[in-house]
Amino acid sequence: MDEETLKKYIRAGKIAAEALEYGRGLVKPGLKVLDCAEKIEAKIVSLGGIPAFPVNISFDETAAHYTPAPNDPLLFDRQVVKLDVGVHVGGCVGGDTAATIDLSGKYTDLVKASREALEAALKVVQIGTPLGKIGKEIEDTIQSFGFKPVRNLSGHGIGEFMIHGEPSIPNYDTEDETPLEEGMTIAIEPFASTGVGLIQDKGLPQIHSIIANKPVRNIGTRQILKKIDTYEGLPFATRWLAKDFPLFKVQFALRELNQLETLHSYPPLVERTPNSFISQAEHSVYVGDKVIVMTKL
Ligand code: CO
């Protein structure tokens, strides 16, 4: 990677870190979840970045992939809240970072478990580190708190207009000997759970991305697709489109694109164990002679 490109990643990382820090202040009982998401996304833009995906605000047993619906009335109350923020600068997705805010006051250790797992993982990150070793650090740390890592969620490579690429960074000891390579940009994101440590799709998706290009006949859908093209293949929210188009048209278009299999929609990811709680922590890292944690303030 050339110097100029690396600078863009680092800038995106810094903006994501600042936006997350700003977002923490908006997670308060009685405040609107929708406002929180929109204000964080506006903050990213005001800092010179572009959201690499809709701000995820996931509650309690939901690990990820919840973002408010258009006109979502939901308020913060006493939930365990995960804020996950993504930023790119000129396509370089250098900022994918998350934190957990426990509004219940009952899950301090759970929050600590994922945060310390992330710190333990970052300590072993360098050129040559086997992926399984990162997973082992995460698993050992989370288990030492008496919780389970979420095994079917993992960290991931981040790249140009790409949020989920290779390599996959496990959250448990897979014994994968594949080494980290020089020049990799990765996001590490441990999830700690009070449940079994497995998530499944549940609920209505509010996040989508284009996965193929096919001709579309309907003129309304074509107009909406034009807007979707400006996201450059990165994930977007139903509510983003509902700003420019009537909601019923947006829903029609999303349905049509789903049927054509040009669109993938991402439902919330929810713990299989009922009434459980999940925490998350995440940083984006550049692996070089010097390891740079790009989303640390
Ligand atoms: Co991520």
Side-chain angles (χ1 to χ4, degrees), residues 58-69:
S58 306
F59 299 102
D60 299 336
E61 75 271 33
T62 303
H65 291 181
Y66 185 80
T67 201

Side-chain angles (χ1 to χ4, degrees), residues 4-7 77 96 134-135 177 180 185 210 243 275:
E4 253 341 271
T5 308
L6 180 57
K7 270 189 189 154
D77 185 11
D96 185 359
I134 300 174
E177 292 293 329
L180 287 178
T185 41
I210 287 291
K243 279 192 176 149
N275 306 315

Side-chain angles (χ1 to χ4, degrees), residues 53 84-85 96-98 154-156 158 163-164 187-189 191 280 282-284:
F53 52 82
D84 194 339
V85 172
D96 185 359
T97 184
S154 38
H156 46 92
I158 44 183
I163 184 67
H164 279 143
I188 303 177
E189 52 179 329
F191 293 82
Q280 175 198 17
E282 181 174 24
H283 274 308
S284 296

Side-chain angles (χ1 to χ4, degrees), residues 73-205:
L74 191 64
L75 302 178
F76 290 112
D77 185 11
R78 296 282 160 202
Q79 308 98 331
V80 175
V81 182
K82 279 125 302 190
L83 266 189
D84 194 339
V85 172
V87 176
H88 74 82
V89 168
C92 301
V93 182
D96 185 359
T97 184
T100 304
I101 299 125
D102 172 25
L103 295 176
S104 76
K106 291 190 276 191
Y107 293 96
T108 312
D109 275 1
L110 185 69
V111 174
K112 233 179 170 182
S114 54
R115 211 170 44 211
E116 289 193 11
L118 177 58
E119 288 307 320
L122 290 173
K123 267 185 198 146
V124 300
V125 168
Q126 58 179 27
I127 297 165
T129 301
L131 298 176
K133 185 176 164 70
I134 300 174
K136 182 174 169 29
E137 291 295 325
I138 289 171
E139 181 176 24
D140 288 351
T141 308
I142 289 173
Q143 280 181 348
S144 76
F145 282 89
F147 303 113
K148 292 229 166 71
V150 176
R151 296 162 70 94
N152 58 348
L153 277 176
S154 38
H156 46 92
I158 44 183
E160 211 161 322
F161 292 111
M162 188 189 65
I163 184 67
H164 279 143
E166 292 298 321
S168 180
I169 315 284
N171 282 327
Y172 65 101
D173 186 6
T174 54
E175 294 177 14
D176 186 348
E177 292 293 329
T178 311
L180 287 178
E181 286 169 28
E182 179 165 13
M184 276 181 171
T185 41
I186 55 170
I188 303 177
E189 52 179 329
F191 293 82
S193 175
T194 63
V196 73
L198 290 168
I199 47 92
Q200 58 193 8
D201 291 348
K202 193 177 173 187
L204 290 177

